[in-house]
Amino acid sequence: MKRTLCALALSLGGVAHAAPVVPQERVQALAVDPYWIALNHYETGKFGGWRSYVDDRKFFLAKEGASHPDAELAATLKALYAPPDSGDQHAQCVYPARTRWLREQLQLHDLPTPVCAEFNEWFSDIAPDSAVLIFPAAYLNSPSSMFGHTLLRIDQADIDSDNTALLSYALNFGAYIEGMDNSILYAWKGLAGGYPGLFSLVPYREKLAEYRSLENRDLWEYRLNLTQAETARMVEHVWELKQIRFDYFFFDENCSFRLLELLEIARPGLTLTEQFPITAIPTDTVRAVKDAGLVKSIDYRPSRERELLTRAKPLSREEQHWALKLADDQGQLENPDFLTLPSERRALVQDTAFRLQRYRATSGERDQASAQRSFALLKSINRNPPPPLDVERPGLPEQGHQSRTWQVGAGSRDDRAFAEYGLRMAYHDLNDNGYGFPLGAQIEILQLKLRQYEGNHWQLQNLDLANIRSLTPRNELLQPWSWQVASGLARVLGKDGDERLVSHVNGGVGGTWALNDDTLAFALGTVRIEHNRDFAAFIAPAAGFNSGLLWHNPLGNLSVEASGDYFSNGEVRRSLSLNQQWEVATNLGLRLSAKRDFSQLTAPQNEVSLELKWYHY
């Protein structure tokens, strides 16, 4: 009976907890505190007031909490004093970051003490001590990753002493996709916010395998100088966001923007997100994190593809053929002709074959025959080991030019002088300043150019929605396809010798070859669909070609291109162009362009221009 009465008294004592009466002025002050704003992901509304980036009703305790920070704070304060018998469903268990902050701000020493078993077990398993910002390099074959990606790695205290990075957790924000949308639909819905975004926390080894092996992307690891308390504060907030939906957009409310919000939670006073009101390109956000003084050290993890190509680089053509044979048939290890190679050359060939075998295995199922070949190569490598692999670290991506480009130029087209003004939202073409970007990669999104001819005649010269090119060189070991795709409005030669503004979609596929470390040659077959008022049909298809050279020289990047389109209605359109960019500074370039256009509709026309390009976010 005594025990029963005691338990009843304790239960009644729990019910007796009541939220303190906080003056309304204090509530209003806390409700607009930058940290409370960050905890609830509020932004200033377009017509005043507040709105939360969170697109999930269950995140808020107040009915109007998504737009009223004061109402959400009052509802949270009340919920923290609810009886503790709800356990894991108690507000203190669901909102540990809010609880911590309100306890500190209001000196809440009389809070009930619910048992938060699920949160405590989860937090203990992660054991957050420090954090690393991970940047997987750009991957052009995925619409969501063509600008690169960012995620966070949460490390335990013994990460350095025990070398246990693979046991850490990767904190990622990405689009949640249900079903099997194709690439075009995926890109469109990603641009239009058609997918919800969710945070996920998974073992880092899984993300490492996905980015470095499956997608063959270099990884940059930026160790942050967050303290243990700051890292723990951030992870507490991640618990609050578990299965909470946000809107997701490729260019602004994306992986990088959401991670900047988390860093503002970790270290109050940071102002990272306000730097990205329009777009949040991953390299720009990495630069912002570095400029804020958060980066302590930088490590580089080359992709399996880069390791393979580095190992194969000193091999002759014959030796690369041997590597292909060994990767296909382990019996070639005993081939007398192979054994006649010097021991040190065989060591390089065997290691190249093993890396090629492992590279191939990531793109398909690892069958028994593949495993046997790998095992045989490993045994041979152990008997005759190669020298350590030394992969040259490429330029730091955040030290390349910034993503938005303002352009102003002047030129002449068939003796008509013009001035030209342009803006490109993102982010790099083949001739742009090259540091930190791979040679042969181009991603241009939303580029506008206006031209002013003599006599104050203005015209829209072009509006590119997207212009993407992937010119990856082929070699003896790897045979990737090069491709390009573009869409928008552009000027072409018309019947009366003037230029017509046409809408178009075009693409192409072909091959690229490295003539040396700084020169690429490419040739692609192309197709084009165009709406042109000079044509009888509403749309006209064309087949054609695009070929040329790309040379990274001491001044900058030089490209020489020839292209042609052969329309089904008989129109033939061809062009020759040359572009040389001088890299004046990282974020400043001067480009000379010369072009000759041919069309059956009119006489050839020549154009020369000089353009100043300012890269600025």
Side-chain angles (χ1 to χ4, degrees), residues 462-528:
N462 65 277
L463 174 61
D464 293 330
L465 301 179
N467 192 338
I468 304 167
R469 307 176 81 176
S470 176
L471 304 180
T472 306
R474 301 163 72 87
N475 53 56
E476 295 295 327
L477 301 179
L478 304 177
Q479 304 287 318
W481 290 104
S482 293
W483 58 272
Q484 63 186 35
V485 62
S487 177
L489 303 175
R491 291 281 172 181
V492 300
L493 292 177
K495 286 182 178 179
D496 52 7
D498 201 358
E499 294 179 292
R500 292 279 184 261
L501 186 65
V502 303
S503 55
H504 68 93
V505 175
N506 66 73
V509 64
T512 300
W513 298 266
L515 304 185
N516 55 48
D517 289 344
D518 297 318
T519 308
L520 302 179
F522 60 91
L524 290 80
T526 62
V527 293
R528 180 182 180 94

Side-chain angles (χ1 to χ4, degrees), residues 554-614:
L555 296 177
N557 287 323
L558 169 72
S559 65
V560 180
E561 293 190 50
S563 63
D565 291 309
Y566 300 84
F567 287 85
S568 59
N569 60 12
E571 159 69 339
V572 177
R573 190 184 301 148
R574 292 163 292 154
S575 70
L576 296 171
S577 64
L578 180 147
N579 296 276
Q580 169 68 59
Q581 175 134 331
W582 284 267
E583 298 180 357
V584 180
T586 300
N587 289 308
L588 194 65
L590 186 64
R591 183 175 301 183
L592 174 66
S593 299
K595 186 178 181 182
R596 183 170 174 83
D597 292 324
F598 304 85
S599 171
Q600 293 195 156
L601 300 178
T602 188
Q605 293 193 10
N606 300 314
E607 179 175 304
V608 178
S609 65
L610 187 64
E611 183 179 55
L612 183 68
K613 300 171 75 70
W614 178 40

Side-chain angles (χ1 to χ4, degrees), residues 304-544:
R304 285 187 174 178
E305 179 179 322
R306 189 179 290 271
E307 290 177 337
L308 167 63
L309 295 177
T310 300
R311 178 56 89 197
K313 187 174 182 179
L315 300 183
S316 67
R317 182 180 294 270
E318 179 186 0
E319 289 169 337
Q320 290 189 24
H321 284 157
W322 275 116
L324 285 169
K325 291 179 182 179
L326 296 182
D328 293 331
D329 178 11
Q330 67 266 30
Q332 294 293 327
L333 289 166
E334 305 302 326
N335 189 312
D337 292 334
F338 175 65
L339 295 175
T340 61
L341 294 176
S343 174
E344 65 274 12
R345 306 307 296 178
R346 280 188 281 114
L348 292 175
V349 172
Q350 290 170 169
D351 192 49
T352 301
F354 175 72
R355 293 178 185 277
L356 177 60
Q357 176 66 26
R358 194 169 59 158
Y359 172 87
R360 290 172 173 175
T362 60
S363 60
E365 293 294 330
R366 184 176 171 84
D367 57 23
Q368 185 176 358
S370 173
Q372 289 175 348
R373 289 194 296 272
S374 294
F375 183 66
L377 286 167
L378 269 179
K379 288 198 302 181
S380 188
I381 289 170
N382 287 334
R383 291 192 299 268
N384 182 19
L389 182 64
D390 183 18
V391 179
E392 182 181 357
R393 193 173 87 163
L396 289 166
E398 76 277 6
Q399 290 183 359
H401 68 75
Q402 298 195 36
S403 62
R404 194 167 301 143
T405 310
W406 299 89
Q407 306 160 69
V408 59
S412 172
R413 184 173 180 87
D414 266 12
D415 299 326
R416 295 177 64 205
F418 64 82
E420 191 167 81
Y421 314 93
L423 170 64
R424 183 182 64 192
M425 296 301 293
Y427 94 128
H428 181 77
D429 69 22
L430 297 180
N431 292 95
D432 280 331
N433 297 353
Y435 185 89
F437 294 88
L439 187 66
Q442 171 174 301
I443 308 172
E444 293 186 290
I445 303 294
L446 292 178
Q447 177 168 235
L448 171 70
K449 284 192 174 183
L450 298 175
R451 185 169 288 189
Q452 180 185 16
Y453 280 100
E454 295 175 284
N456 202 32
H457 171 64
W458 288 79
Q459 69 179 31
L460 172 63
Q461 190 64 20
N462 65 277
L463 174 61
D464 293 330
L465 301 179
N467 192 338
I468 304 167
R469 307 176 81 176
S470 176
L471 304 180
T472 306
R474 301 163 72 87
N475 53 56
E476 295 295 327
L477 301 179
L478 304 177
Q479 304 287 318
W481 290 104
S482 293
W483 58 272
Q484 63 186 35
V485 62
S487 177
L489 303 175
R491 291 281 172 181
V492 300
L493 292 177
K495 286 182 178 179
D496 52 7
D498 201 358
E499 294 179 292
R500 292 279 184 261
L501 186 65
V502 303
S503 55
H504 68 93
V505 175
N506 66 73
V509 64
T512 300
W513 298 266
L515 304 185
N516 55 48
D517 289 344
D518 297 318
T519 308
L520 302 179
F522 60 91
L524 290 80
T526 62
V527 293
R528 180 182 180 94
I529 298 176
E530 178 176 300
H531 170 63
N532 187 330
R533 62 181 179 176
D534 281 343
F535 296 164
F538 183 75
I539 60 172

Side-chain angles (χ1 to χ4, degrees), residues 42-54:
Y42 291 117
E43 67 161 346
T44 304
K46 291 180 174 61
F47 303 102
W50 299 94
R51 64 171 289 270
S52 177
Y53 286 116
V54 177

Side-chain angles (χ1 to χ4, degrees), residues 41 53-55 173 196-197 199 241 244-248 258:
H41 303 268
Y53 286 116
V54 177
D55 189 36
F173 178 81
F199 281 97
L241 300 175
I244 296 298
R245 296 187 173 213
F246 290 75
D247 288 331
Y248 182 88
R258 294 277 91 90

